[in-house]
Amino acid sequence: MDPHLRNLIWSDIEYRLFEFVDRFPLPQIVKVQEGYYGPTEDSCIGAEQILTLHCVKTTEKVLARDRKKRELHIPLNCSQKVELRPAEFRGIYETVEEISRIPARFVRVTQGYYLEEEAVSLNPGDKLEVIRVEHGIGGKEDCVVFLTEERNPIRLPFSVSAGFQSLLDGREYYLKELMMSSFKLPVYFQFTEPPSITRRSSEGVFNTSLGVLSFEKVYQDSTIICTTKEGSVRTVVSCPKDLPVTINVARGALSDDKDYVRICRLFHDGVSLLKIENMEIQNIYASRNTIREYEYIADDSSPQIGRAHV
């Protein structure tokens, strides 16, 4: 145990965790009296564990589901835009003839097509507007006329094989715009950004690789951000504010003791809350109803999710 923590004197006063953070200014250092035991080792807080409480983070999040019905928790203020998919969507249409049979006005290219002699080039990520179907006359093949994003018309025969995803309306939205729109939930959407191996920011996780998601609802997420420290290893403990945990408070917190305040600042100032927020965002599949734990990496922007070091 850190020698600073070893010197703390604990009072007999107990608080429920949510009561404590509402009553006392943070940061604070507390000792768990009655813990919480989740379904896995990494979702437990044991008795006698000492926590530094850094802040309470309240954000609006979108509860979404992927095609495997897994829950995702996405910040409502996410800066990446999305496109809407029809409710009766199919993953990928592989030929232009298939596009001619569906009521889609816009499609997104997922697999390219190149016809050098006619200078036709479709690249993955291109968005096309479906204008009309033309039936061939005098031996000419049936085709579909599209407009590119540059408003240039192209004619593609039914036999052309590529990859297309249908779009609901061809527009791009922020998630907050969907919440304020007249769309009836659930709404099906997909992020427009392609994955990038060079992007390591928190927003880099929101890209097309997540596939088509359903926008289920918006909820308010109140999370207490804590850390524990054992030697040089610091572990982030993120838990719902209303988690049924009882804690003991240090005597210094009750008397506004200067040495206690100094120790709190020592443990608090060594942690970047922005880095923790980035870790939380990237861990979008973690359940919001239990504890989330991961090692705090001081010199790296990417988290290492795994067993707690406590």
Side-chain angles (χ1 to χ4, degrees):
M1 180 185 293
D2 189 284
H4 293 94
L5 300 179
R6 193 179 297 116
N7 293 331
L8 290 177
I9 300 175
W10 302 101
S11 73
D12 294 329
I13 300 177
E14 297 179 3
Y15 290 93
R16 286 181 290 182
L17 187 59
F18 73 89
E19 293 175 331
F20 181 81
V21 297
D22 283 342
R23 181 168 177 175
F24 290 83
L26 301 184
Q28 296 281 349
I29 298 175
V30 300
K31 181 167 67 172
V32 177
Q33 179 67 20
E34 293 184 16
Y36 173 86
Y37 300 94
T40 66
E41 182 179 347
D42 291 345
S43 60
C44 298
I45 293 181
E48 301 297 314
Q49 188 167 334
I50 296 177
L51 302 174
T52 301
L53 310 182
H54 295 277
C55 66
V56 178
K57 181 74 173 178
T58 300
T59 56
E60 287 188 295
K61 290 187 177 179
V62 173
L63 172 61
R65 295 183 190 274
D66 63 14
R67 299 191 70 175
K68 296 180 180 178
K69 304 300 181 183
R70 294 179 298 179
E71 289 188 356
L72 295 86
H73 305 277
I74 306 170
L76 183 63
N77 64 354
C78 177
S79 63
Q80 301 295 0
K81 287 191 171 183
V82 303
E83 293 175 316
L84 298 186
R85 304 284 183 212
E88 299 299 324
F89 66 87
R90 201 181 91 185
I92 302 295
Y93 296 91
E94 297 179 347
T95 67
V96 171
E97 184 176 7
E98 289 180 305
I99 296 299
S100 73
R101 297 198 296 261
I102 63 174
R105 188 181 166 196
F106 293 88
V107 295
R108 176 73 73 182
V109 177
T110 61
Q111 180 178 326
Y113 170 80
Y114 309 96
L115 189 60
E116 189 172 344
E117 56 268 28
E118 297 184 18
V120 174
S121 175
L122 298 180
N123 297 303
D126 288 351
K127 182 166 63 177
L128 304 176
E129 182 178 356
V130 181
I131 300 302
R132 62 181 179 273
V133 176
E134 291 186 349
H135 297 287
I137 300 175
K140 289 188 176 180
E141 192 173 356
D142 294 348
C143 67
V144 175
V145 180
F146 300 90
L147 278 183
T148 67
E149 293 179 86
E150 293 76 29
R151 311 308 292 171
N152 297 320
I154 59 172
R155 287 174 169 79
L156 296 179
F158 274 17
S159 59
V160 166
S161 294
F164 306 94
Q165 283 182 310
S166 60
L167 305 178
L168 186 66
D169 57 11
R171 291 182 55 192
E172 296 182 5
Y173 299 87
Y174 292 110
L175 291 177
K176 183 169 285 190
E177 292 179 300
L178 294 182
M179 184 193 71
M180 297 184 294
S181 71
S182 59
F183 291 113
K184 184 179 179 181
L185 300 181
V187 173
Y188 297 91
F189 70 93
Q190 186 168 9
F191 286 100
T192 59
E193 290 288 325
S196 172
I197 60 174
T198 60
R199 294 190 60 187
R200 303 186 68 182
S201 69
S202 61
E203 296 293 315
V205 70
F206 303 116
N207 54 53
T208 55
S209 68
L210 293 175
V212 178
L213 308 174
S214 62
F215 187 124
E216 302 285 332
K217 67 177 182 179
V218 175
Y219 68 93
Q220 191 171 77
D221 185 41
S222 291
T223 302
I224 302 175
I225 303 298
C226 323
T227 58
T228 66
K229 194 166 183 289
E230 185 68 32
S232 61
V233 177
R234 192 186 300 270
T235 300
V236 178
V237 181
S238 176
C239 65
K241 182 182 176 183
D242 58 357
L243 199 73
V245 170
T246 302
I247 54 95
N248 281 119
V249 58
R251 289 183 183 177
L254 303 174
S255 61
D256 201 24
D257 179 81
K258 290 183 179 179
D259 286 337
Y260 169 75
V261 172
R262 178 181 58 81
I263 293 172
C264 288
R265 295 306 310 184
L266 177 67
F267 279 79
H268 176 72
D269 291 344
V271 171
S272 167
L273 295 180
L274 178 60
K275 187 184 295 293
I276 290 178
E277 184 175 348
N278 290 346
M279 292 177 176
E280 280 279 283
I281 288 175
Q282 295 189 47
N283 200 18
I284 56 174
Y285 284 102
S287 171
R288 67 187 175 99
N289 295 318
T290 189
I291 297 165
R292 302 183 292 275
E293 294 190 1
Y294 37 88
E295 185 178 343
Y296 180 86
I297 308 298
D299 58 351
D300 194 343
S301 61
S302 60
Q304 292 187 6
I305 308 300
R307 293 187 59 179
H309 297 261
V310 294

